[in-house]
């Protein structure tokens, strides 16, 4: 059998690879990510990395938890970045394993800049971000040519834990038919109000995808005006991806995981209705 790792790069001692593990399912790891796992001496991993991914590590690898979760005690970002430098200077093969993609709301840029500052060699290995892969596991495409020709990705809170004040809500509400939000569940009431104040319909479909691409995945479908009340009543907790837009209706036809459990999929998710593209 051909070695699938033949010809792939070596994780050299004294270097750091910043690797995206994808949104949950270990099958979504890239070949580069699996190659890094089998070579690393130390794996510094996030809270959102599926534990099954770590089973691909070599037996002698040390695992260090560096998870950051909102509202819970978490290591400071600067300390995590400097820990990567420290390990590399010890001559270790260092894998920084992050959920999703390291450069999509994953602070990978900050960590890479610290490595540059301290002259540590590094490699970036992209991963499947939850805002695309997680929604796909819920049967929701981020683009569909009958619905949208644009999509906006944004974070629901900034470094201080509040809704970012630099987001142009009016511009996004009027210009982006589909809005995908990371870390937005806690502030969905304010975010929904911002979007409706800027002209989005209260009846616009919204979906929360919790624990995306894992066996614990749960999807809540609601509307912009009911989102806060419905998610509170559901008892669902982060991590979650939130999507606003007509693409949510496609889940009635594209919920492939539901179909495996017997859900009958609809051939016409829009019931032949004329769609209004806000862009």
């Amino acid at each position: 059998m051909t070695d699938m790792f033949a010809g792939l790069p070596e994780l050299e001692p004294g270097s750091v690879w910043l690797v995206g593990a994808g949104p949950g399912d270990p099958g979504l790891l890239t070949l580069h990510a699996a190659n890094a796992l089998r070579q690393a001496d130390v794996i510094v991993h996030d809270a959102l990395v599926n534990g099954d991914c770590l089973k691909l590590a070599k037996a002698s690898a040390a695992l260090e938890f560096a998870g950051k979760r909102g509202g819970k005690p978490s290591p400071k970002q600067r300390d995590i970045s400097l820990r990567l430098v420290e390990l590399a200077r010890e001559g270790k093969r260092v894998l920084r394993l992050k959920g999703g993609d390291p450069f999509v709301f994953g602070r990978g840029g900050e960590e890479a800049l610290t490595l540059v500052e301290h002259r540590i060699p590094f490699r970036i290995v992209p991963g499947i971000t939850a805002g695309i892969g997680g929604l796909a596991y819920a049967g929701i495409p981020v683009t569909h040519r009958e619905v949208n020709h644009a999509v906006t990705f944004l974070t629901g809170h900034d470094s201080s834990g509040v809704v970012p004040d630099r987001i142009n809500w009016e511009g996004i509400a009027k210009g982006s038919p589909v809005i995908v939000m990371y870390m937005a569940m806690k502030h969905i009431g304010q975010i929904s109000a911002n979007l409706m104040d800027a002209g989005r319909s209260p009846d616009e479909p919204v979906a929360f995808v919790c624990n995306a691409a894992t066996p614990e995945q749960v999807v809540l479908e609601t509307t912009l005006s009911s989102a806060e009340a419905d998610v509170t009543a559901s008892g669902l907790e982060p991590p979650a991806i939130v999507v606003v837009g007509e693409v949510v209706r496609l889940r009635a036809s594209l919920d492939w995981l539901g179909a495996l459990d017997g859900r009958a999929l609809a051939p016409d998710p829009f019931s032949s209705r004329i769609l209004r593209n806000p862009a």
Side-chain angles (χ1 to χ4, degrees):
M1 180 182 294
T2 302
D3 182 359
M4 71 176 70
F5 299 109
L8 293 183
E10 291 188 15
L11 175 50
E12 299 287 349
S15 64
V16 178
W17 285 12
L18 301 173
V19 176
D25 186 342
L28 297 180
L29 285 169
T30 65
L31 197 55
H32 276 311
N35 182 42
L37 280 161
R38 65 193 282 269
Q39 296 184 71
D41 298 318
V42 182
I43 301 171
V44 182
H45 63 94
D46 279 352
L48 296 182
V49 171
N50 189 324
D52 288 339
C53 296
L54 300 174
K55 294 177 181 178
L56 297 177
K58 63 183 182 182
S60 61
L63 304 180
E64 293 194 8
F65 179 77
K68 297 177 72 66
R69 298 297 298 272
K72 298 180 180 179
S74 302
K76 297 184 185 309
Q77 183 58 54
R78 184 64 177 171
D79 292 340
I80 295 172
S81 299
L82 291 176
R83 178 59 176 160
L84 300 178
V85 172
E86 179 183 23
L87 290 168
R89 285 180 171 168
E90 292 174 1
K92 301 289 198 307
R93 298 173 178 87
V94 184
L95 167 56
R96 175 65 168 120
L97 192 63
K98 307 174 79 68
D101 180 277
F103 278 3
V104 181
F105 302 119
R107 300 186 177 93
E110 297 172 47
E111 294 174 0
L113 287 171
T114 300
L115 297 175
V116 172
E117 176 188 353
H118 293 274
R119 300 176 183 250
I120 303 296
F122 67 95
R123 174 183 287 266
I124 305 298
V125 178
I128 299 174
T129 183
I132 297 175
L135 292 185
Y137 267 55
I140 301 172
V142 292
T143 66
H144 184 73
R145 66 179 183 171
E146 293 183 21
V147 176
N148 66 310
H149 298 97
V151 59
T152 295
F153 295 90
L154 60 86
T155 176
H157 67 75
D158 60 19
S159 59
S160 63
V162 300
V163 177
D165 58 11
R166 289 183 290 179
I167 291 179
N168 183 347
W169 292 105
E170 183 175 2
I172 290 173
K174 293 180 178 178
S176 187
V178 174
I179 306 166
V180 178
M181 297 179 281
Y182 296 69
M183 300 168 284
M185 179 180 281
K186 179 180 178 181
H187 300 299
I188 193 60
Q190 181 181 343
I191 292 169
S192 298
N194 290 345
L195 291 172
M196 288 186 290
D197 289 345
R200 294 301 274 251
S201 170
D203 297 325
E204 186 165 11
V206 175
F208 294 82
V209 184
C210 300
N211 297 305
T214 72
E216 292 74 39
Q217 175 176 294
V218 177
V219 182
L220 171 66
E221 294 182 56
T222 179
T223 64
L224 206 54
S225 62
S226 301
E228 181 180 23
D230 286 351
V231 78
T232 300
S234 72
L236 294 175
E237 297 286 344
I241 287 289
V242 185
V243 55
V244 178
E246 291 290 330
V247 290
V248 173
R249 299 189 194 278
L250 282 156
R251 187 166 188 267
S253 296
L254 303 181
D255 179 16
W256 57 278
L257 279 174
L260 293 176
D261 290 332
R263 178 178 182 178
L265 300 181
D268 182 3
F270 301 116
S271 301
S272 301
R273 61 201 290 268
I274 298 174
L275 300 179
R276 180 181 67 86
N277 188 331

